[in-house]
Amino acid sequence: MKKSISFFLALLLVFSMAACNSGSKSNTASGKDKKVKISYLTHWAAPQVEELKAAIKKYNETNKNVEIEVRAVPFGNLLTTLTTQSSGSGAPTITSIYELWLSQLVKDGITAPAPGEYANDIQANYPGGLVQAITNDGKVYGYPNEVNLYALNYNERLFNEAGLSGPPKNWEELLDYSKKLTKKGKSGKVEQQGFGIITSWNSGVVHPWLSLLYSNGGQLLDDRHQPVLDSKEAKEVTDLYKQLIDEGITDPSMGIANASTTGPYLDNFANEKTAMIIMANWWQSALADSMGDKFKNIKTAAVPVGPSGDGSHSVSYSWLTTVNAKANPKQQEEAWKFLQWLNGEESGTDGSSAMGDILMGMGIIPSRNSDVNSHQDELNTPFLKSYVEELKNAKSFPIVLGGNELTTTLQQQLEAMEFGNASPKKALDGAQQAISDLMSQHYKE
């Protein structure tokens, strides 16, 4: 009797263990089948978002375990969205960021360094200068994607109408051409400005001004991260702006930008009410869409050289795609895997990555070596050729802690001068003091 009971208990134990093991295998299997959800935050417009979604669809053909949601916000809201939503269930896993923000995002623990395999991929396939710009304390923090710099954009039809041939090469010619290209109505109101500037957007205000400063032999910060805006070179640039505005050649009210970095400044150039403007290459697609057949009249050239300069030196900057350090390990793993594919040759067409194809569709110079080689014909167009040629002479915007605040501070002082609320000297003195205080907060000796 005792043997029967023992046998029954043993048999029951075997069935119980089998049932537990069966349940464990079932849970594991369902865990494997469950998709990892990640999100991709970008500032791209609708057409590029659709191209990104198409790339994701292609990726999912062989990677069915991940679900990628694309979220888009205007450029003006991108950094705020990232920093305020960096943690929690709705936080973006992948974000495209301006390199100027990287130092602060790393300091705040928002951006994750690339694991070894991906860091090696980035270091092997991108120009060294770009890799250096996205490296912080020896760690690489994302996939570089776009390279941008500034050039003089001008309307050849308006030039021909004014009897002008070729772009201005120096500031004396810039002033002379601008006067000849300006048209005013009977009331004295500017109907066509010879030279346009951008307002209401920090980089749009600062980068063209700084391109002229670099082309005049000046600099923004010294090696100790302190401003050098009390220089002769900086005064000459600001005086140039003041003269253009005082003589009615430039109308700041025509240069307003919105949160999407479009608006009146683009509309006035597209509608041939602005003859010249210093602008970055990435606006090609928006400009072409706005102008239609008239886009063929737009040519580009090096930024005019100032009286104290030794050559044209545009501001350059880049963007990178990063992974949220606060995402869970599985999300981070799948995010890096997707980014490697998106930026790899197998994802696009004719040797280009899907990222390279998307960027070139916007007129943006891609940064991956193989993408540049693949898109040589497109980079040799009348619009982009000057940008590509000037890359070797460009100077990077300083990558420093508080870089976005620095840009906004300088914007505010320059706009005070542009709208008649401060003299050039007062604007530069104010910028020098405010930026000095800001940099001292971040770089205490």
Side-chain angles (χ1 to χ4, degrees), residues 149 151 153 279-281 383-391:
L149 69 157
N153 286 221
M279 185 50 186
N281 51 280
F383 186 87
L384 286 179
K385 186 177 181 180
S386 294
Y387 288 102
V388 176
E389 289 175 348
E390 289 304 312
L391 266 174

Side-chain angles (χ1 to χ4, degrees), residues 338-361:
F338 170 68
L339 287 179
Q340 184 180 49
W341 176 87
L342 183 68
N343 291 276
E345 295 175 34
E346 69 276 16
S347 64
T349 57
D350 299 325
S352 171
S353 69
M355 177 62 77
D357 289 338
I358 294 171
L359 294 175
M360 280 306 309

Side-chain angles (χ1 to χ4, degrees), residues 259-431:
S260 297
T261 62
T262 58
Y265 85 91
L266 184 151
D267 298 337
N268 282 314
F269 189 79
N271 293 327
E272 301 187 318
K273 294 180 180 179
T274 299
M276 292 185 286
I277 194 168
I278 295 173
M279 185 50 186
N281 51 280
W282 58 258
W283 83 328
Q284 177 188 258
S285 59
L287 195 58
D289 289 345
S290 298
M291 297 193 73
D293 290 342
K294 292 183 178 180
F295 179 68
K296 67 179 183 294
N297 296 323
I298 304 306
K299 301 294 185 292
T300 60
V303 173
V305 180
S308 301
D310 61 1
S312 182
H313 299 287
S314 161
V315 169
S316 67
Y317 64 93
S318 62
W319 281 65
L320 64 154
T321 316
T322 60
V323 173
N324 190 344
K326 299 183 180 182
N328 68 51
K330 190 63 180 174
Q331 288 176 315
Q332 291 191 43
E333 178 186 342
E334 293 297 339
W336 286 114
K337 183 180 176 183
F338 170 68
L339 287 179
Q340 184 180 49
W341 176 87
L342 183 68
N343 291 276
E345 295 175 34
E346 69 276 16
S347 64
T349 57
D350 299 325
S352 171
S353 69
M355 177 62 77
D357 289 338
I358 294 171
L359 294 175
M360 280 306 309
M362 291 185 277
I364 293 174
I365 303 171
S367 55
R368 189 179 178 92
N369 296 329
S370 55
D371 288 341
V372 173
N373 292 332
S374 177
H375 291 282
Q376 279 298 312
D377 290 344
E378 295 156 272
L379 292 169
N380 198 36
T381 62
F383 186 87
L384 286 179
K385 186 177 181 180
S386 294
Y387 288 102
V388 176
E389 289 175 348
E390 289 304 312
L391 266 174
K392 63 182 182 298
N393 301 317
K395 295 186 178 183
S396 297
F397 192 91
I399 308 301
V400 292
L401 288 169
N404 195 58
E405 299 166 86
L406 180 159
T407 308
T408 300
T409 298
L410 183 52
Q411 171 206 1
Q412 292 168 345
Q413 294 296 333
L414 289 175
E415 286 187 335
M417 179 273 297
E418 291 164 0
F419 286 102
N421 297 318
S423 67
K425 184 179 186 307
K426 183 177 180 181
L428 288 177
D429 287 347

Side-chain angles (χ1 to χ4, degrees), residues 8-21:
F8 175 76
L9 291 174
L11 192 63
L12 184 61
L13 180 61
V14 169
F15 278 120
S16 297
M17 290 178 66
C20 288
N21 287 337

